[in-house]
Amino acid sequence: MATQVTARQAARHGFSFLRIAIALQTLTIFLQAVSSGLLMTTSYGEVLHSVGARVMYGASMLYVLAAVLAWKPGGGPLRPVLQASGFLVLASVQVAVGIAHLPAVHLPLGVLMFGLSVLALARR
């Protein structure tokens, strides 16, 4: 017997995946703050922060994917897609200023991104 998935069920599953993606993104940003402290105090901190930056960027891309999947096939709102896309832009700027070694921009932007990610998670 075939199982039919209603639009409401699909939307609920999409939002569940979206919530997981936002939680993962929030966690990776928090871990970046921890590795930032290690960067300043240990010899291996730079490697951890560099790897963490790639994971955080991947989590931001996953957030965009989850938002699109919750929006398009699930019939959810467009707002999460716009928020996720904006966050990916912020993550791109964060990576660029990190590579350029601009801590006066990099650190406050990281705090802003963490706050926005926690806010997005609380809203889901």
Side-chain angles (χ1 to χ4, degrees):
M1 180 177 349
T3 304
Q4 292 183 347
V5 178
T6 65
R8 176 175 280 175
Q9 288 171 330
R12 188 172 39 225
H13 290 297
F15 286 126
S16 175
F17 179 49
L18 182 59
R19 187 172 179 86
I20 291 168
I22 297 170
L24 179 64
Q25 173 184 271
T26 305
L27 177 65
T28 60
I29 294 171
F30 177 75
L31 292 176
Q32 279 300 93
V34 172
S35 70
S36 172
L38 292 172
L39 171 69
M40 296 180 218
T41 58
T42 65
S43 61
Y44 58 86
E46 183 178 358
V47 173
L48 286 176
H49 198 67
S50 178
V51 169
R54 288 167 176 80
V55 173
M56 185 276 304
Y57 198 78
S60 296
M61 289 190 285
L62 182 67
Y63 178 23
V64 172
L65 176 66
V68 169
L69 290 176
W71 165 61
K72 199 62 172 167
L78 180 61
R79 176 180 264 171
V81 175
L82 299 175
Q83 291 171 342
S85 299
F87 205 95
L88 187 60
V89 169
L90 286 176
S92 299
V93 171
Q94 181 72 332
V95 169
V97 297
I99 290 171
H101 299 288
L102 299 172
V105 179
H106 189 69
L107 294 174
L109 184 57
V111 171
L112 174 68
M113 288 172 62
F114 180 71
L116 290 174
S117 192
V118 168
L119 183 62
L121 183 59
R123 289 181 144 185
R124 285 288 129 210

